[in-house]
Amino acid sequence: MIKDKPWGGRFQESTSALVEEFTCSVHFDCRLALYDIAGSIAHARMLKACGLITPEEAQNIIEGLEQIKKEIEQGLFKWRQDLEDVHMNIEMALREKIGPVAGKLHTARSRNDQVATDVRLFLRDILDKALDLLVSLRWALVNKAEKTIGIIMPGFTHLQHAQPVLLAHHLMAYYEMFTRDTRRLRSARQSVNICPLGSAALAGTPFPIDRHMVAQELGFEGITRNSMDAVADRDFILEFMFAATTCLLHLSRLMEEFVLWMSPEFSFIDLPDSLCTGSSIMPQKKNPDVAELIRGKSGRVVGNLLTLCTVIKGLPLTYNRDLQEDKEALFDTCDTLLPCLRLARDLIEGFRPHQEKMYQACAEGFLTATDLADYLVTKGLPFRDAHHVVGKIVAYCLDRKIKLWELPLEKFREFSDLVEEDVYEWLTLEGSVARRRVPGGTAPERVKEALEQAKKELTEGRP
Ligand code: ARG
């Protein structure tokens, strides 16, 4: 038997050093320590309430765990690689403190339901932080949109000038994405917040325990319904990872726009010095590294999501050691998501739009060509014909390097005698934007409505 391992009873030879190193997870799962202790304390209280341990034993165990908690918080706890993981490290430390009675804590419990509980508690905290950050990021978008409501910029498709839009409308498009991300993360939180403890190794336990009591102590919404599912399930992590990945993909799109907009070719915005960095060789440089890194870091969370999908694929029920591979991917996604949300919010708050540049950019690329076609439609021409006529007018203007609104009325009338003096109003940027009054459109009154709606839902804590 191996004396110094909690599972050493049936073993005759000691573990090879390489195996110890290979199977060890304590260097990363020690991060779950405080959740592990919280779960153990709730479990001990329940064992006492159900008469499975005496009040004195429970008190001993809980006091011992609380001492360990303090040592961990003060950085005094010595983690041992030969004890594999966070659970056995804490269990052995408890035994050293209070003697063999420590062994009673593991009644009606296995590391399989224990680790599932720890990860759920950990992830619930991360989700609460992420949700708070998302709310403040959405506020930042709303506030910026409100402050810049008068700014018109080119809207793009295929990264080519398409139609004029309000910068506020563009920002509120991101507000919609981050609102859906909020909904997805909230839904992931519901899946996370269910207690697997009491499922034991896989089949449940013969002891008359009270699973609801533990769940309630730990703030869970309810208990898992099937013990085999409870120890094998990692969907709750996948749900979080998918929501986090989608959110980072949205962040990376916004960051890509900031990077483009800050380049001299666009010159649409400037970013605060405090959020940019310089070059070690080119003294003139101010680079949008934070935006670039957020864009770049989205790659790793995609990788983490795929890692976990691949780990789970084809795993037979129930617990398999493969599942230990969920943690580093999960931690990395958490450690990426939170600072990215925080810094993206600062970038949104801090960027300065160059109103003039955006407006001037709208002069290029025939942004109001669709308006001219729409104008002809209001005069009775079918849209497809109008499209054709305007195409010819655009080609004519391109040839002569003039803008649509520089074309004299007589010239317009050579292309279509439906054109009258009122056409010029249709060709202005302000007119183009203002006419898009359809629900969801870029007209200032619609965007203002969207802003009011957003402020209302944010104030009410929705979604
Ligand atoms: N370190 C393990 C994990 O992360 C804990 C559960 C171990 N269970 C077992 N039967 N070996 O999944």
Side-chain angles (χ1 to χ4, degrees):
M1 104 164 198
I2 314 178
K3 277 234 172 59
D4 57 349
K5 298 256 197 278
W7 43 254
R10 66 98 70 210
F11 284 78
Q12 260 115 57
E13 290 169 19
S14 57
T15 323
S16 103
L18 193 57
V19 168
E20 221 157 59
E21 199 186 315
F22 187 69
T23 56
C24 173
S25 58
V26 69
H27 52 287
F28 55 84
D29 66 18
C30 62
R31 208 170 152 170
L32 298 174
L34 298 187
Y35 302 100
D36 194 75
I37 290 175
S40 288
I41 291 177
H43 185 66
R45 289 211 179 104
M46 181 278 290
L47 290 177
K48 176 184 85 174
C50 296
L52 293 163
I53 56 175
T54 67
E56 297 74 52
E57 288 169 340
Q59 200 189 340
N60 263 340
I61 290 173
I62 291 168
E63 279 172 13
L65 286 168
E66 261 151 14
Q67 273 176 35
I68 295 172
K69 180 177 167 194
K70 274 207 199 85
E71 286 168 25
I72 293 172
E73 283 170 340
Q74 291 165 356
L76 301 173
F77 192 86
K78 293 239 174 336
W79 297 103
R80 278 173 51 188
Q81 169 170 322
D82 60 314
L83 289 176
E84 239 176 79
D85 58 21
V86 60
H87 322 292
M88 295 206 296
N89 264 272
I90 292 175
E91 192 183 327
M92 284 304 257
L94 186 64
R95 183 179 295 263
E96 272 161 33
K97 277 199 195 319
I98 65 170
V101 65
K104 296 208 172 187
L105 176 61
H106 218 52
T107 313
R109 188 174 76 167
S110 135
R111 272 188 295 157
N112 298 349
D113 57 346
Q114 194 178 351
V115 71
T117 307
D118 294 2
V119 173
R120 284 170 185 267
L121 289 171
F122 164 82
L123 188 47
R124 191 176 66 190
D125 272 0
I126 294 287
L127 276 160
D128 288 340
K129 289 192 183 117
L131 284 162
D132 281 351
L133 286 169
L134 257 178
V135 166
S136 88
L137 183 140
R138 284 160 65 214
W139 269 118
L141 282 167
V142 168
N143 291 334
K144 199 65 163 202
E146 209 160 35
K147 269 195 223 119
T148 59
I149 190 81
I151 300 184
I152 298 180
M153 68 181 292
F156 296 82
T157 63
H158 313 269
L159 203 53
Q160 304 293 318
H161 283 197
Q163 292 172 350
V165 293
L166 294 187
L167 170 62
H169 195 50
H170 194 129
L171 293 176
M172 289 304 283
Y174 282 100
Y175 175 85
E176 293 297 324
M177 296 176 225
F178 293 120
T179 301
R180 293 194 295 276
D181 291 333
T182 308
R183 193 176 307 135
R184 272 186 284 269
L185 284 168
R186 273 208 213 295
S187 149
R189 193 189 188 283
Q190 282 177 4
S191 304
V192 164
N193 203 22
I194 313 235
C195 187
L197 215 58
S199 303
L202 73 160
T205 171
F207 295 103
I209 59 168
D210 183 350
R211 292 192 58 202
H212 291 285
M213 178 184 165
V214 181
Q216 210 179 9
E217 282 243 353
L218 295 172
F220 283 114
E221 274 297 316
I223 61 172
T224 52
R225 298 196 304 186
N226 178 302
S227 63
M228 297 180 75
D229 176 46
V231 296
D233 163 37
R234 295 294 181 272
D235 304 6
F236 66 95
I237 305 183
L238 281 180
E239 277 181 51
F240 161 70
M241 280 191 169
F242 178 72
T245 302
T246 311
C247 180
L248 264 142
L249 295 181
H250 291 152
L251 285 177
S252 84
R253 296 182 78 167
L254 177 58
M255 294 305 112
E256 165 74 359
E257 305 214 86
F258 280 176
V259 171
L260 284 175
W261 291 355
M262 196 179 128
S263 77
E265 278 66 31
F266 278 81
S267 280
F268 282 3
I269 62 166
D270 197 12
L271 294 174
D273 280 5
S274 61
L275 298 173
C276 291
T277 53
S279 155
S280 53
I281 175 167
M282 295 167 281
Q284 84 284 13
K285 296 275 281 173
K286 172 174 159 184
N287 297 326
D289 294 46
V290 174
E292 293 168 83
L293 271 172
I294 295 174
R295 184 179 63 187
K297 281 174 188 289
S298 63
R300 54 197 300 156
V301 301
V302 174
N304 292 332
L305 173 63
L306 291 185
T307 296
L308 188 59
C309 288
T310 315
V311 166
I312 290 171
K313 180 194 172 299
L315 270 194
L317 291 187
T318 54
Y319 178 84
N320 299 273
R321 193 63 178 269
D322 313 47
L323 291 175
Q324 181 168 294
E325 289 295 308
D326 62 355
K327 277 168 224 61
E328 282 164 297
L330 170 63
F331 294 158
D332 187 64
T333 290
C334 298
D335 293 341
T336 306
L337 177 67
L338 298 183
C340 285
L341 283 172
R342 181 59 230 281
L343 282 161
R345 184 201 63 194
D346 292 352
L347 284 166
I348 294 164
E349 263 170 16
F351 87 86
R352 286 180 299 274
H354 295 152
Q355 178 159 11
E356 273 309 299
K357 291 275 198 230
M358 288 190 182
Y359 198 83
Q360 282 158 13
C362 291
E364 303 303 325
F366 301 94
L367 282 176
T368 50
T370 318
D371 297 83
L372 181 54
D374 293 341
Y375 171 83
L376 293 171
V377 169
T378 64
K379 303 278 172 176
L381 202 60
F383 184 79
R384 275 289 158 243
D385 300 328
H387 186 287
H388 196 72
V389 170
V390 176
K392 287 208 270 191
I393 296 176
V394 167
Y396 179 87
C397 291
L398 270 174
D399 254 7
R400 280 154 193 79
K401 297 195 169 48
I402 56 171
K403 318 284 183 215
L404 276 180
W405 53 86
E406 288 166 352
L407 210 60
L409 185 57
E410 317 80 75
K411 204 72 231 157
F412 270 123
R413 293 180 63 85
E414 281 177 26
F415 290 96
S416 165
D417 55 11
L418 293 170
V419 181
E420 290 168 69
E421 189 58 44
D422 61 347
V423 73
Y424 294 102
E425 197 281 321
W426 279 70
L427 299 177
T428 65
L429 301 175
E430 288 76 7
S432 169
V433 168
R435 272 190 300 277
R436 288 180 162 68
R437 263 182 231 106
V438 66
T442 192
E445 65 214 82
R446 287 290 166 267
V447 177
K448 281 179 195 154
E449 273 169 23
L451 284 168
E452 287 315 309
Q453 213 168 37
K455 285 195 280 187
K456 189 162 183 288
E457 68 191 19
L458 280 167
T459 309
E460 289 169 4
R462 285 186 286 127

